[in-house]
Amino acid sequence: FPSHDSLGLIDKLGIKNFRGVIMRDEFKTLGKTLEVEYGIYNTDDSNSSGQHWCCWHRNASEHRANSTWFHFCPFGADPPKEFMDYVGKEMVMTSTFQIQDFDDNICGQLCVIIIFSSTINSFFCFFKSLFNSLQIFFCCFIKINTRKCPEC
């Protein structure tokens, strides 16, 4: 899923405060974080062609002393050091379960879905409802592809 495809979808969906599609070592080029921001990054560095897409979302709220970041990796991996350096000491919620098989190449599409979903719901409602929806979606997808789904 090339970065220009992600940018095209983000643009068509009208997502504001999108920081861009970057490589893992380019977080330092973003400068200061925004109160509301979204972005997609590749787990590879800028000297390589890329291997896997992940995304992030931040929505600082007036009623919270500290803002919360959300990091999504379709493989359920922890955020890289470069992301953690970018967000500083603020709280990061992260997906901890794998929803994409290692031989699938849908990580870019999943990131766009996550980002778009987060723009239409409150942050915590988004987190809960999105993963419930994705679980149902993937159970159906797996059944369609004649694989058994352990959840259904």
Side-chain angles (χ1 to χ4, degrees):
F1 195 68
S3 61
H4 64 274
D5 290 346
S6 297
L7 287 173
L9 283 172
I10 295 292
D11 188 50
K12 285 180 184 177
L13 293 170
I15 296 172
K16 296 176 179 18
N17 299 317
F18 185 71
R19 299 302 303 263
V21 179
I22 62 172
M23 301 303 273
R24 184 190 73 231
D25 61 342
E26 295 175 331
F27 276 104
K28 59 185 171 244
T29 67
L30 295 178
K32 187 176 177 180
T33 62
L34 303 177
E35 287 191 21
V36 176
E37 70 174 67
Y38 309 89
I40 297 173
Y41 74 92
N42 194 284
T43 57
D44 228 344
D45 62 32
S46 55
N47 295 327
S48 303
S49 60
Q51 55 179 299
H52 178 62
W53 296 104
C54 300
C55 65
W56 78 92
H57 162 232
R58 179 190 192 198
N59 191 356
S61 175
E62 302 83 29
H63 64 275
R64 278 186 249 146
N66 296 313
S67 65
T68 302
W69 293 82
F70 175 71
H71 173 267
F72 172 75
C73 173
F75 293 150
D78 289 335
K81 179 186 181 315
E82 294 86 349
F83 175 77
M84 297 306 291
D85 289 346
Y86 175 66
V87 303
K89 297 186 184 299
E90 295 185 29
M91 186 172 98
V92 176
M93 295 178 65
T94 187
S95 57
T96 58
F97 53 92
Q98 181 178 343
I99 63 170
Q100 177 185 339
D101 288 336
F102 290 113
D103 59 344
D104 287 340
N105 59 357
I106 59 171
C107 48
Q109 293 94 325
L110 291 172
C111 288
V112 172
I113 291 169
I114 294 289
I115 289 172
F116 178 68
S117 297
S118 68
T119 65
I120 57 176
N121 293 310
S122 70
F123 181 71
F124 290 103
C125 292
F126 147 73
F127 181 72
K128 181 179 176 186
S129 65
L130 179 64
F131 285 108
N132 288 338
S133 299
L134 285 173
Q135 184 178 20
I136 292 166
F137 170 77
F138 281 103
C139 284
C140 295
F141 179 76
I142 289 169
K143 283 183 178 181
I144 290 169
N145 286 297
T146 66
R147 290 186 255 171
K148 291 188 178 185
C149 175
E151 309 298 324
C152 301

